[in-house]
Amino acid sequence: MSGAKHTINDRIEQLREQIREHEHRYYVLDQPLISDFEFDQLMRELQQLEHENPELITRDSPTQRVGGEPAKEFPTLKFSRPMLSLENAYSEDELKDWTRRVVQLAKTEKVDYVAELKIDGLSVSLIYGNGLLSKAVTRGDGRTGEVVTGNVRTIRSIPLRLHEDVSVEIRGEIFLSLKAFRQLNDEREQAGESRFANPRNAAAGSLRQLDPSIAATRPLDFYGYSIFPTLPLQSENLKWITKLGLKVNPHRKLCRSVEEILDFYRHWEEQRDDLDYEIDGVVVKVNSVEIQEKLGSTSKSPRWAIAVKFRARQATTKLLNIRVQVGRTGALTPVAVLEPVQLGGTTIRNATLHNEDEIERLGLQINDRVLLERGGDVIPKIVSVIEQAADRRAFQMPSRCPVCGGEVYRPEGEAVRRCLSQTCPAKLKESLLHWASRKAMKIDGLGERLVDQLVEKSLVRDVSGLYRLSQEQLEGLERMGPKSAENLLRQIDASRSLEFWRLLFGLGIRHVGERTAQILAKHFGSMQRLQNASQEELEQVYEVGPKLAESIYRFLKQPENRELIEKLEAAGLPMKSDDFVPPEMAQVFEGKTFVLTGTLEGMTREEATSIIEHRGGRVSSSISKKTNFVLVGRDAGSKLDKARKLGVQILDEQQFRTML
Ligand code: IVH
């Protein structure tokens, strides 16, 4: 390696070390030392150096979490040590029986246990060779698993390089926090996709994505619970996993008696709702590995561990009726009306039924007794029919909209019927609430009660109507004083200066979620360009598939929607993006390398870098013969001299601007 390369490599290694340390502090310890901005700066510098010196990129570099092509399918791998499952105990008595058996088989008086939480996720095995993550494998059938390394590499709490250069296998549970689960489901709903039933399914779906870049957008997390080779005690194993840089669930207890295990179990059955992830019980393990080996395993599960399951958050009740709600997209959703029942501390009166196929699948009729379950979702669901009622009545989806009486249509291949009326008040109410939501136009004061009144009194006929409301009109509504009317008008007015993508999202085009709206806004830059785009042009946008392209295209072609957009424009709403780069300009710096030196007057270095990169160029930190331009500001130093020596073209800020 030449001298210069040597110092670059040193800097790269130094950056990697720092980034690893900060990732560990942030994702594993939850004790960040620096701001997100500072972290991004380190990451960008590393990316830049690796970009300029691709031969120095290593697989364990923090920049290499997402990489590689989407897989066609996952290869399988046979475990050298099977991934066993656990036997379950469903009561305190069953647990006591188990401890008695353990003591008997172990032929010792004194057995210590480690009680851990049973995380409701998916088990994986992480294989590290000389400290580097080489493979991640799902449990599969326990003998053979699927290799999902690409996806697991995107989990930020799993280090690509351990704190020690050891070869170990670490097993543990991959899961999704409740917060992440609810957010993911909300996004899916907004995009017209189906919700995941619970965090476990969502985690499984994410881990089984063939494209790691999709998995990377799902904030999966990990807690380790076993390591091989093993130390003499499970409690020591857990500490060792932590020492190597992974997460171990902090809620665990060394128990010296069955009473202590029961205390832990009762505590967590009581407190499980305080956690931001789902647990379904407590796992009790014999602490001594020597005793574990003495006890051995059956073909399915070890005799030295047991899962003590919590009582399921289930209840039975009677289905009194099925009501039909109409959503923003006109979707008719059946909702179960239940005889009120207690479930995990709250009274449940309703449960979603999603669509008519779901009712058929459950074989559900009115008056039946049903089994309810509350998973990670806030709204409980009906799992099955427990008992068919003698006086049961079959439910029929209405053939007309229950709110406006409009025509209802179920497109082929879809599970959902929709109200076709453009003026359906139910659709309008939902559209207004969506428009006002935090991710769209942030009109906090516009809640359900107000929307009901605005629609029922015909003060608003579409979202543009909000921008014509007057103080007097608002003051005339229930629970609306002059102050709150004024506040609301101020919020409505403020929404005029928000970003264009929010408006695109707020329009509620089917399948267009927040992220898609941002992509579209950036790509097309204005409503006009978007409206002029053909379906093919839409499909060419990165991340826009045919289904989405068709939905956007149709929406924008509909005369009512065009009219609405005109009215919104007239009301002063944003119809253009600020960060848009027109395509004809986009590639003026294609393939060109810039070096920046000195202080620029009219822009920061970051801005200059972004301008160059947006137009196809790149910015390097050192000058070579391959550099095309040096952009010089005030007090430029040695780089300017070097540029002159090498005969690289020198630009001042004015010349640079002219080139733009
Ligand atoms: S130990 C041989 N510890 O529960 C012992 N499992 O059927 C292997 N799980 O497949 C498991 N939290 O996915 C263990 N603290 C914990 C756990 C845990 C969750 C899962 C794991 C396993 C299943 C048991």
Side-chain angles (χ1 to χ4, degrees):
M1 213 179 275
S2 73
K5 273 277 169 223
H6 199 78
T7 37
I8 292 175
N9 200 29
D10 284 350
R11 177 66 186 148
I12 287 182
E13 265 312 318
Q14 188 185 29
L15 283 165
R16 286 180 187 155
E17 271 311 306
Q18 287 176 351
I19 292 170
R20 280 187 198 118
E21 162 77 12
H22 291 304
E23 279 190 325
H24 181 247
R25 289 196 144 268
Y26 188 94
Y27 292 101
V28 176
L29 304 178
D30 197 13
Q31 292 166 352
L33 268 189
I34 58 172
S35 68
D36 290 359
F37 176 76
E38 288 164 304
F39 181 83
D40 287 344
Q41 295 291 99
L42 294 175
M43 202 64 165
R44 281 179 67 151
E45 184 182 350
L46 177 60
Q47 275 166 340
Q48 182 66 30
L49 288 174
E50 289 183 346
H51 182 73
E52 287 161 15
N53 304 279
E55 72 285 1
L56 298 180
I57 298 177
T58 56
R59 280 297 276 159
D60 66 326
S61 171
T63 59
Q64 305 298 304
R65 283 199 176 264
V66 188
E69 290 291 299
K72 298 250 175 331
E73 57 180 21
F74 299 111
T76 54
L77 188 81
K78 198 166 163 355
F79 296 111
S80 51
R81 219 177 268 105
M83 281 184 91
L84 299 178
S85 62
L86 292 172
E87 199 156 334
N88 293 323
Y90 292 99
S91 67
E92 300 193 350
D93 283 344
E94 285 184 25
L95 171 69
K96 286 181 186 157
D97 287 347
W98 175 78
T99 53
R100 250 177 252 128
R101 230 177 320 134
V102 166
V103 172
Q104 215 172 45
L105 288 173
K107 301 195 179 72
T108 5
E109 279 297 292
K110 195 81 207 76
V111 181
D112 290 342
Y113 305 89
V114 177
E116 300 168 16
L117 297 183
K118 186 167 184 301
I119 314 291
D120 196 8
L122 306 138
S123 43
V124 283
S125 156
L126 309 175
I127 298 160
Y128 285 90
N130 292 323
L132 296 182
L133 177 62
S134 73
K135 275 198 177 63
V137 192
T138 64
R139 179 168 181 274
D141 64 2
R143 314 274 145 187
T144 313
E146 283 181 314
V147 182
V148 291
T149 319
N151 289 339
V152 168
R153 287 174 64 91
T154 68
I155 302 174
R156 304 288 285 268
S157 54
I158 296 184
L160 301 177
R161 174 187 276 279
L162 297 175
H163 290 174
E164 294 166 28
D165 290 343
V166 286
S167 295
V168 290
E169 178 182 351
I170 295 171
R171 290 180 178 177
E173 203 79 352
I174 287 186
F175 65 99
L176 200 60
S177 73
L178 288 172
K179 183 164 169 244
F181 164 70
R182 289 175 188 144
Q183 189 177 343
L184 174 62
N185 260 353
D186 288 350
E187 280 168 19
R188 288 174 68 88
E189 186 142 72
Q190 280 159 13
E193 294 165 30
S194 61
R195 293 175 76 93
F196 286 113
N198 53 51
R200 192 181 172 327
N201 287 2
S206 306
L207 201 60
R208 301 204 78 268
Q209 283 291 336
L210 289 167
D211 185 350
S213 66
I214 298 181
T217 65
R218 311 273 173 87
L220 294 170
D221 208 339
F222 176 83
Y223 281 128
Y225 50 65
S226 317
I227 183 162
F228 307 99
T230 171
L231 298 175
L233 297 174
Q234 167 67 0
S235 50
E236 294 301 320
N237 279 340
L238 295 177
K239 284 189 200 143
W240 190 27
I241 298 173
T242 316
K243 221 169 130 222
L244 290 176
L246 289 104
K247 271 173 48 166
V248 169
N249 191 285
H251 307 300
R252 54 185 199 258
K253 185 175 157 196
L254 184 64
C255 301
R256 304 191 188 274
S257 67
V258 87
E259 264 59 45
E260 289 185 12
I261 303 175
L262 286 173
D263 282 347
F264 183 82
Y265 171 77
R266 289 180 194 138
H267 173 82
W268 284 109
E269 168 138 66
E270 196 55 33
Q271 304 297 319
R272 60 194 288 205
D273 281 333
D274 294 348
L275 298 171
D276 187 35
Y277 45 86
E278 288 263 275
I279 55 173
D280 58 348
V282 160
V283 180
V284 186
K285 300 172 185 174
V286 169
N287 196 24
S288 151
V289 171
E290 195 187 324
I291 301 181
Q292 286 183 6
E293 280 162 3
K294 213 165 180 185
L295 294 168
S297 304
T298 68
S299 65
K300 292 204 196 83
S301 47
R303 291 192 193 90
W304 48 264
I306 195 159
V308 198
K309 300 290 275 280
F310 294 141
R311 274 161 292 172
R313 278 187 286 203
Q314 290 183 329
T316 63
T317 187
K318 184 176 169 183
L319 174 68
L320 299 175
N321 201 356
I322 296 178
R323 220 178 23 173
V324 176
Q325 279 180 350
V326 185
R328 162 170 61 85
T329 57
L332 270 55
T333 312
V335 179
V337 182
L338 304 165
E339 203 166 75
V341 62
Q342 286 291 317
L343 190 64
T346 44
T347 309
I348 306 298
R349 295 189 165 79
N350 296 305
T352 49
L353 287 164
H354 302 292
N355 55 53
E356 53 197 291
D357 291 352
E358 173 87 353
I359 299 175
E360 197 171 304
R361 190 181 65 76
L362 293 166
L364 188 61
Q365 295 198 8
I366 295 165
N367 290 339
D368 284 352
R369 269 207 95 69
V370 293
L371 178 65
L372 273 185
E373 189 178 285
R374 211 183 70 188
D377 242 334
V378 187
I379 306 162
K381 59 175 192 288
I382 293 180
V383 184
S384 60
V385 173
I386 293 286
E387 195 187 319
Q388 300 188 350
D391 57 347
R392 65 202 306 246
R393 277 190 291 126
F395 165 78
Q396 276 254 307
M397 278 298 272
S399 55
R400 300 216 140 244
C401 172
V403 176
C404 72
E407 202 184 322
V408 161
Y409 174 65
R410 179 175 174 174
E412 246 193 61
E414 283 196 24
V416 176
R417 288 174 198 237
R418 287 174 205 280
C419 166
L420 292 180
S421 161
Q422 284 305 319
T423 52
C424 175
K427 283 165 76 171
L428 176 55
K429 283 180 191 173
E430 291 297 325
S431 306
L432 288 167
L433 289 171
H434 175 69
W435 178 265
S437 66
R438 302 231 83 186
K439 287 182 185 165
M441 307 310 275
K442 300 203 269 197
I443 310 174
D444 279 351
L446 192 63
E448 224 161 295
R449 215 178 257 135
L450 196 55
V451 162
D452 283 351
Q453 296 186 64
L454 292 175
V455 172
E456 272 146 33
K457 298 203 157 70
S458 297
L459 291 176
V460 167
R461 292 198 163 78
D462 60 37
V463 289
S464 77
L466 292 174
Y467 297 87
R468 292 187 296 273
L469 286 171
S470 67
Q471 174 88 15
E472 295 74 57
Q473 281 175 322
L474 287 176
E475 277 182 34
L477 301 176
E478 270 168 50
R479 292 166 190 259
M480 252 296 161
K483 258 255 147 354
S484 34
E486 205 181 301
N487 269 339
L488 180 64
L489 284 179
R490 196 171 317 118
Q491 285 180 1
I492 293 177
D493 186 44
S495 73
R496 290 183 164 102
S497 24
L498 293 177
E499 305 94 317
F500 170 52
W501 68 261
R502 290 181 172 275
L503 172 133
L504 265 185
F505 173 63
L507 285 173
I509 306 171
R510 271 191 83 200
H511 306 304
V512 176
E514 187 191 357
R515 208 178 127 61
T516 311
Q518 289 168 354
I519 291 169
L520 290 171
K522 195 158 187 169
H523 187 95
F524 291 97
S526 72
M527 182 59 92
Q528 200 183 0
R529 276 174 187 276
L530 185 62
Q531 282 178 318
N532 290 340
S534 67
Q535 208 166 313
E536 292 72 43
E537 282 171 306
L538 285 163
E539 262 188 60
Q540 275 158 25
V541 181
Y542 178 63
E543 287 189 79
V544 174
K547 196 162 111 186
L548 187 55
E550 186 189 339
S551 164
I552 301 166
Y553 184 78
R554 276 177 170 233
F555 182 95
L556 294 174
K557 280 287 167 279
Q558 277 212 359
E560 298 91 350
N561 295 333
R562 293 190 89 94
E563 201 181 307
L564 172 63
I565 290 167
E566 271 173 33
K567 286 197 266 183
L568 288 171
E569 184 162 18
L573 280 132
M575 293 288 161
K576 277 195 178 83
S577 295
D578 291 336
D579 61 350
F580 170 66
V581 183
E584 59 268 23
M585 234 192 222
Q587 300 311 316
V588 286
F589 294 149
E590 176 82 60
K592 302 282 190 242
T593 303
F594 281 73
V595 170
L596 311 183
T597 179
T599 313
L600 299 170
E601 304 284 332
M603 59 184 98
T604 63
R605 258 165 189 262
E606 285 71 35
E607 281 163 355
T609 305
S610 153
I611 291 171
I612 293 165
E613 287 175 350
H614 264 97
R615 288 159 176 75
R618 60 194 199 92
V619 175
S620 158
S621 56
S622 57
I623 300 185
S624 73
K625 272 184 280 185
K626 291 197 189 119
T627 311
N628 299 93
F629 301 106
V630 174
L631 174 56
V632 279
R634 206 159 22 83
D635 303 328
S638 61
K639 284 184 185 164
L640 179 56
D641 301 335
K642 191 160 177 201
R644 290 208 178 100
K645 222 178 276 164
L646 291 174
V648 176
Q649 189 173 345
I650 294 165
L651 299 174
D652 63 21
E653 217 173 309
Q654 195 48 50
Q655 290 164 319
F656 177 67
R657 284 187 188 281
T658 317
M659 286 175 81
L660 301 180

